[in-house]
Amino acid sequence: MTMLGMNSVTAAVARSTISLSASSASISSNLFRALSTTTESLKVKSTTPPPVANQAERIKYFKIYRWDPDHRQKPYLSTYPVDLNDCGPMVLDALIKIKSEQDPTLTFRRSCREGICGSCAMNINGRNTLACLCYIDPKDEDGNTKSNSGGDVMKIYPLPHMYVIKDLVPDMGNFYEQYRSIEPWLQTKEGKMEGQAEFLQTREDRAKLDGMYECILCACCSTACPSYWWNADKYLGPAVLMQAYRWIEDSRDEFQDKRLAELDDAFKLYRCHTIMNCTKVCPKHLNPGKAIAHIKKKLAEK
């Protein structure tokens, strides 16, 4: 091979090498760009709406019951302004915002924020409800905000006719003790058979528990009942009586007669005068009044 031919081959190999290097660089660049794009797409973007320029403030005033046992003063109401443009839609959102930004001493219970735990039960504008399910601006049946509903001031108190520990925190000790008294667990005479996994029941029997097992023991119903206000130490109240009926009606429980006999009392059960405040305020849309009526009916049939 001549020198000229060898130079031509060398130049061709060099051009091929340069071309491969450029292709590799291009592939690496595209791969990096693709990975970068993928990484960016996986990032959670902020759900906070961008601020609207020159948006007028929507101030809502919250008058909140305050009492601290460590301070020797009577209960009072504190007023807090909240811009609804910078706040979530629920009363619990406003309370958290007030505690975070205005007054860290404000005390209230809260946990799930989904209407499951019942912790944030309180009296809002005269009605017992859950702060996490209560809209600051109530909605109509179509989900639209009612105009000028409740005015510019919202009043928040602890659950009525209960001892207050601090601010919006009531003492639930008596309520839970009454719940314990009905023995809210499955009771059988012989227990499980050998190798038995669970206690079975038919779908029809299971359906009888609907409307009772959903109770979250928030005490909204009991603290809305005048009979419970007057006799909280003796009358079990709507929530506990509905839970008692839940176990009376359970086909797997074998102590129905015993449970009914323990409820057959002038105060435990018959202080209920079917005022029906309990059913009206239940945030889970249950009907404790109906459950109490069923207990009375079963006792009358015995």
Side-chain angles (χ1 to χ4, degrees):
M1 182 179 295
T2 64
M3 184 63 67
L4 180 62
M6 291 181 65
N7 290 339
S8 299
V9 170
T10 302
V13 170
R15 284 195 301 272
S16 176
T17 303
I18 294 171
S19 176
L20 286 173
S21 299
S23 299
S24 299
S26 176
I27 291 172
S28 299
S29 176
N30 290 337
L31 180 59
F32 178 77
R33 190 179 301 113
L35 288 174
S36 300
T37 304
T38 303
T39 303
E40 288 296 327
S41 65
L42 291 176
K43 290 182 179 179
V44 177
K45 297 181 179 179
S46 174
T47 57
T48 304
V52 180
N54 300 324
Q55 186 176 25
E57 290 185 337
R58 296 171 55 223
I59 301 298
K60 183 90 170 184
Y61 293 95
F62 292 82
K63 288 190 173 184
I64 302 176
Y65 177 96
R66 303 299 308 275
W67 181 71
D68 188 339
D70 295 331
H71 297 162
R72 294 185 177 181
Q73 63 181 110
K74 295 181 179 180
Y76 60 94
L77 293 179
S78 286
T79 303
Y80 304 94
V82 174
D83 183 4
L84 300 187
N85 292 326
D86 189 32
C87 180
M90 302 300 182
V91 173
L92 184 59
D93 294 319
L95 290 173
I96 293 174
K97 183 177 178 65
I98 292 169
K99 184 175 180 66
S100 300
E101 300 177 5
Q102 299 186 43
D103 188 349
T105 67
L106 178 63
T107 306
F108 54 90
R109 289 191 178 108
R110 54 101 174 178
S111 183
C112 72
R113 300 184 67 168
E114 297 292 340
I116 301 298
C117 69
S119 299
C120 62
M122 55 190 70
N123 186 277
I124 301 174
N125 278 350
R127 182 188 180 95
N128 292 352
T129 187
L130 299 178
C132 64
L133 297 184
C134 181
Y135 283 97
I136 298 173
D137 289 328
K139 309 289 183 180
D140 58 22
E141 294 181 355
D142 298 325
N144 300 317
T145 301
K146 295 180 181 179
S147 59
N148 297 325
S149 55
D152 295 328
V153 178
M154 177 169 281
K155 295 181 179 181
I156 305 177
Y157 291 85
L159 290 175
H161 295 269
M162 299 186 80
Y163 291 105
V164 174
I165 296 175
K166 184 181 179 183
D167 294 344
L168 301 177
V169 179
D171 185 352
M172 302 286 285
N174 179 63
F175 178 79
Y176 290 138
E177 182 62 23
Q178 290 174 325
Y179 180 57
R180 185 206 61 78
S181 72
I182 65 168
E183 300 180 354
W185 53 82
L186 187 67
Q187 299 183 39
T188 59
K189 295 178 180 178
E190 297 181 358
K192 287 186 177 180
M193 304 292 290
E194 184 177 354
Q196 181 180 355
E198 61 268 323
F199 294 96
L200 302 178
Q201 63 181 164
T202 65
R203 292 183 179 180
E204 292 75 17
D205 287 336
R206 166 60 186 79
K208 294 177 181 179
L209 307 181
D210 289 341
M212 293 184 288
Y213 79 88
E214 300 95 329
C215 175
I216 58 176
L217 296 173
C218 64
C220 282
C221 61
S222 292
T223 54
C225 174
S227 295
Y228 193 75
W229 299 346
W230 304 325
N231 304 283
D233 58 332
K234 299 177 182 178
Y235 174 48
L236 292 180
V240 173
L241 286 173
M242 183 169 71
Q243 288 303 301
Y245 184 64
R246 175 253 179 276
W247 292 105
I248 290 170
E249 192 67 4
D250 196 321
S251 61
R252 300 165 296 180
D253 193 275
E254 298 177 349
F255 284 83
Q256 183 187 89
D257 292 339
K258 174 176 172 287
R259 293 181 185 275
L260 285 171
E262 290 179 351
L263 294 178
D264 191 5
D265 180 86
F267 277 92
K268 284 184 178 180
L269 173 65
Y270 291 102
R271 287 298 93 186
C272 172
H273 300 303
T274 60
I275 300 172
M276 301 304 288
N277 279 3
C278 53
T279 301
K280 183 178 180 180
V281 303
C282 178
K284 304 296 285 186
H285 308 292
L286 307 180
N287 193 342
K290 183 178 180 180
I292 296 172
H294 281 305
I295 296 175
K296 292 178 179 178
K297 183 178 179 181
K298 283 185 176 292
L299 286 171
E301 292 172 349
K302 291 181 70 64

